[in-house]
């Protein structure tokens, strides 16, 4: 593929990080829940969502990825 562009070029990412750095970190922790869906014919998927999430936000407040994208926290320490 040639001549393709992405909204996530290095300048865009740099700008987003600078914008995010202006906001103070949240002092309140958020409890997360992980849900793993296992498939027979493809890679399992893991979805992370806040444990207590209002129904109005449930469809937009989550992160989902192939299970092999996640690692045990102890492996990174």
């Amino acid at each position: 593929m040639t001549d393709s562009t992405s909204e996530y070029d290095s300048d865009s990412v740099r700008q987003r990080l600078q914008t995010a750095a202006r906001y103070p970190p949240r002092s309140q922790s958020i409890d997360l829940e992980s849900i793993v869906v296992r498939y027979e014919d493809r890679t399992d998927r893991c979805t992370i969502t806040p444990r207590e999430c209002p129904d109005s936000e449930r469809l937009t407040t989550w992160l989902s990825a192939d299970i092999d994208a996640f690692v045990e926290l102890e492996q990174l320490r």
Side-chain angles (χ1 to χ4, degrees):
M1 182 183 276
T2 61
D3 298 327
S4 65
T5 60
S6 169
E7 65 181 283
Y8 297 109
D9 59 46
S10 61
D11 291 335
S12 173
V13 171
R14 187 176 300 110
Q15 180 63 36
R16 290 171 194 231
L17 290 172
Q18 289 171 349
T19 300
R22 288 187 223 138
Y23 294 95
R26 295 181 116 181
S27 59
Q28 177 183 2
S29 65
I30 298 173
D31 289 329
L32 299 175
E33 175 180 18
S34 66
I35 302 164
V36 176
V37 177
R38 304 206 183 275
Y39 296 96
E40 290 183 19
D41 59 343
R42 63 181 186 181
T43 305
D44 296 343
R45 302 275 295 171
C46 181
T47 300
I48 308 290
T49 185
R51 190 172 299 280
E52 295 182 22
C53 185
D55 288 340
S56 61
E57 296 177 14
R58 186 155 310 273
L59 293 176
T60 59
T61 311
W62 53 270
L63 170 80
S64 190
D66 288 346
I67 196 73
D68 57 1
F70 296 92
V71 296
E72 294 291 329
L73 182 59
E74 291 77 27
Q75 290 178 325
L76 296 176
R77 291 187 176 180

